[in-house]
Amino acid sequence: MQALRIFTFLIFAIFSSTAALAQPLYAITMHGDPALPADYTHFPYVNPDVKKGGHITYGVVGTYDNLNPFILKSMRTTARGMWDPEFGNLVYESLMQRSRDEPFTMYGLLAQTVEWDEDRTFIQFNLNPAAKWSDGQPLTADDVIFSFNLLREKGRSPFSNRLDSVEKMEKVGDSSVRFTFNKKADRETPMILALSVPILPKHAINPDTFDQTSLTPPIGSGPYRVKTVNPGESITFERNPDYWAKDLPSKVGMDNYDTISVDYFLQETTLFEAFKKGDVDVYEDGSPGHWADAYDFPAVSSGEVVKDVFTPKLPSGMLGFVFNTRRPIFANPKVREGLSLAFDFEWVNRNLSSNAYTRTESFWQNSDLSSYGVPANQRELEMLGPIKNRIDPAVLDGTYKLPVSDGSGRDRTVLKQAVDLLREGGYTIRDGKMVDANGRQLSFEIMTQNIDQERIAIAYRRSLELLGIAVAIRTVDDSQYQRRTISFDYDMIMKVYPSSLSPGIEQISYWSSQTRNKEGSSNFAGVADPDVDTLISHILTARNADDFRAAVRSFDRLLISGHYLVPLYHIDDQWIARHKRIGHPETLPLYGYQLPVWWDATVQ
């Protein structure tokens, strides 16, 4: 009898434990707990009482010939808004919705609840029974499974890679899908599945033709439908009055216009002129000179155009001239370091940018994740292990700082440091030219995308020429730029590496060995380094906030010490101009302004 009672107790304990592990959750977060309670009514940065209606017109530089953003042929030529975190996922949706006021937390959307275990070996999405497609058909578990399989077979990266870490995908009951992970998975994997995979309608898609470009308006579950298509010039979306999630807490205060138009322009100057005339309603500005000098027109004087400055609580990210280390001339880190020192930030900042910029010296500057000015603690040193021997000692002890020039554009002290490093990399100055042991001059091309990039490249070339280095600058049109960057056909380009408070799997695309030769990846520098891979894995497997912070800081130190790009600068503020009829909430979320929660203030 006693043995029977023990056996019964053990069985009860096992089932109780399993039930506890599978407790449905209304939200999931990368580290810690969600900030909002289960009975939250809306995100804190929206206006829940907003009057919906009216319209907005966005402007973008580029063109489009396709409404399918998920295939290789669509890269940079797809109509904005279809799957778009900036303007909003207007047509397609993910399983969960991200809060922009928390580092990495998601709340229910297509999935009403989720289930996972403490080790995140699986995640189960329980669909919202109200979810439906724009044609009125219910959204089902079969749609979820269909979407993941179709994108794996015919989608572009990263959509095609989402199942790489999944051992088994299975339907559970009528309205749930469970993903069981393999050894390739990390703790971020279930978060990525929840956020970064569009769910597509099985009944409305022909798999055989999915990988072909199309201008046929698609069926989605999102708040808008495609109204009109003017290929390459504009696209207009109209609100679906029967949108299933309009009263869902994670969507309250969003999707506030009856119609949204996106107009396309060949040049930034043309886009700005359209904004001045009122043909475009908002203009996101990233140029200090332009922000200071270009708004002397009547609509600003009358108050019709408003200039807003927002200060998010975000890390700086990293903008820089990226070395393509696939090119032999950039294989030596000493050469890259020497070339980096030659950039005269002080001259550029004073003469081209009205001293508006701050020099960027860390990929996560201005945040607790940055290694800048912070000595490595014991936890970091443990994570680094022997890798610490590859870290610049100044970077390791927190004293690292890029040299400050005298601003003359020819600071001899700094240029001498550059020459010394280039000598260590095998180059010397001979007859006024920087040459290698075989007498070949150090020369390369900087490929630029627009006039602003070209101006910075010209300033950089001016400094390099003082060292006998030959630099060509080629500014190409958008389509050529995209083709060449996708295939890594360049010596040096200017790129920005966005950073967040929750870095994770995107670092694989930027820096991992597995993406070095993968066309369409963001590994612009061509990095293939086992130590880099190891530190990325530390980020992805961190189980608590302290380990996560140590992992990101150690990774930051290795990237800085690798000199994969010439660090440029950043601005802590976000600048955006708007016509006053466009309103926005007073509360600013952690990530800064969010266009999908703005509205047409003329609606009564």
Side-chain angles (χ1 to χ4, degrees), residues 313-385:
K313 299 176 182 177
L314 288 175
S316 62
M318 178 67 79
L319 170 69
F321 287 109
V322 182
F323 299 105
N324 186 355
T325 62
R326 302 171 186 86
R327 300 288 203 250
I329 56 171
F330 295 142
N332 191 313
K334 290 297 182 181
V335 172
R336 302 196 297 266
E337 184 178 3
L339 293 173
S340 296
L341 293 190
F343 180 78
D344 193 331
F345 165 74
E346 285 68 33
W347 187 94
V348 170
N349 198 32
R350 186 184 68 221
N351 290 280
L352 301 183
S353 306
S354 304
N355 287 319
Y357 286 116
T358 299
R359 191 75 190 267
T360 309
E361 309 204 53
S362 161
F363 285 79
W364 284 272
Q365 200 160 321
N366 299 338
S367 80
D368 196 37
L369 300 178
S370 174
S371 67
Y372 181 56
V374 181
N377 60 23
Q378 187 59 39
R379 187 69 188 102
E380 272 194 75
L381 295 176
E382 291 171 358
M383 284 187 172
L384 284 167

Side-chain angles (χ1 to χ4, degrees), residues 74-332:
S74 73
M75 295 190 72
R76 287 296 194 186
T77 58
T78 305
R80 293 286 303 272
M82 309 298 293
W83 175 260
D84 192 325
E86 184 180 7
F87 297 160
N89 291 338
L90 304 182
V91 174
Y92 299 106
E93 294 181 303
S94 54
L95 289 162
M96 303 191 79
Q97 175 87 338
R98 185 172 190 170
S99 168
R100 306 305 293 184
D101 204 36
E102 301 174 57
F104 198 7
T105 302
M106 288 177 289
Y107 295 82
L109 185 58
L110 291 176
Q112 185 175 39
T113 61
V114 298
E115 301 171 31
W116 64 7
D117 60 349
E118 184 177 351
D119 291 331
R120 303 186 187 182
T121 63
F122 75 90
I123 188 168
Q124 179 172 310
F125 297 100
N126 305 315
L127 297 180
N128 192 313
K132 63 180 180 180
W133 301 105
S134 58
D135 62 359
Q137 293 290 317
L139 190 146
T140 69
D142 291 329
D143 290 316
V144 176
I145 293 172
F146 168 80
S147 301
F148 277 84
N149 282 330
L150 180 63
L151 291 169
R152 175 176 58 185
E153 295 170 9
K154 296 202 170 184
R156 66 174 174 85
S157 177
F159 304 108
S160 60
N161 304 329
R162 295 309 189 202
L163 288 177
D164 288 356
S165 301
V166 175
E167 180 178 304
K168 183 169 58 175
M169 176 175 60
E170 57 188 327
K171 183 177 176 180
V172 179
D174 294 329
S175 59
S176 299
V177 179
R178 175 177 288 214
F179 297 84
T180 303
F181 302 120
N182 57 33
K183 293 181 179 180
K184 294 181 180 179
D186 53 66
R187 293 181 62 78
E188 189 185 19
T189 298
M191 308 287 290
I192 296 300
L193 297 189
L195 178 67
S196 301
V197 179
I199 304 305
L200 310 173
K202 181 179 180 180
H203 70 281
I205 289 179
N206 180 354
D208 293 336
T209 59
F210 179 75
D211 56 354
Q212 301 301 310
T213 59
S214 173
L215 290 172
T216 301
I219 291 172
S221 65
Y224 290 86
R225 298 177 293 203
V226 175
K227 180 181 181 181
T228 58
V229 174
N230 189 358
E233 297 184 12
S234 67
I235 182 169
T236 298
F237 303 87
E238 61 179 354
R239 189 213 311 278
N240 178 4
D242 299 320
Y243 175 48
W244 71 275
K246 58 186 175 183
D247 297 319
L248 207 65
S250 63
K251 294 292 284 183
V252 167
M254 301 184 184
D255 316 314
N256 298 323
Y257 309 100
D258 282 344
T259 59
I260 296 175
S261 296
V262 183
D263 291 349
Y264 290 78
F265 300 87
L266 295 180
Q267 295 179 330
E268 193 71 32
T269 53
T270 312
L271 167 56
F272 187 66
E273 289 301 315
F275 170 73
K276 290 167 64 175
K277 291 190 298 182
D279 295 336
V280 171
D281 290 311
V282 296
Y283 184 81
E284 299 173 276
D285 205 323
S287 168
H290 191 269
W291 184 251
D293 302 330
Y295 293 83
D296 184 17
F297 55 92
V300 177
S301 302
S302 68
E304 171 60 30
V305 166
V306 180
K307 296 173 70 179
D308 287 322
V309 178
F310 302 100
T311 305
K313 299 176 182 177
L314 288 175
S316 62
M318 178 67 79
L319 170 69
F321 287 109
V322 182
F323 299 105
N324 186 355
T325 62
R326 302 171 186 86
R327 300 288 203 250
I329 56 171
F330 295 142
N332 191 313

Side-chain angles (χ1 to χ4, degrees), residues 17 34 55 72 138 187 227 255 263 271 330 415 433 449 452 498 515 556:
S17 175
H55 70 279
L72 187 61
R187 293 181 62 78
K227 180 181 181 181
D255 316 314
D263 291 349
L271 167 56
F330 295 142
L415 291 176
K433 296 181 178 180
Q449 198 172 6
D452 285 340
T515 60
D556 190 29

Side-chain angles (χ1 to χ4, degrees), residues 317-318 323 325 333 336-337 340 361-364 369 371 380 384 387 390-392 395-396 400 402 497-499 503-504 506-513 523 525-529 531-536 539 551-567:
M318 178 67 79
F323 299 105
T325 62
R336 302 196 297 266
E337 184 178 3
S340 296
E361 309 204 53
S362 161
F363 285 79
W364 284 272
L369 300 178
S371 67
E380 272 194 75
L384 284 167
I387 300 174
R390 294 185 55 193
I391 307 292
D392 183 324
V395 173
L396 201 62
Y400 168 80
L402 288 166
Y497 291 80
S499 59
E506 76 283 353
Q507 303 304 317
I508 291 177
S509 183
Y510 292 143
W511 306 108
S512 169
S513 299
N523 194 338
V527 177
D529 185 332
D531 290 341
V532 169
D533 298 338
T534 295
L535 297 191
I536 292 175
I539 295 174
V552 178
R553 284 181 179 174
S554 62
F555 183 54
D556 190 29
R557 296 183 204 277
L558 185 58
L559 293 182
I560 294 168
S561 299
H563 303 286
Y564 297 113
L565 48 76
V566 180

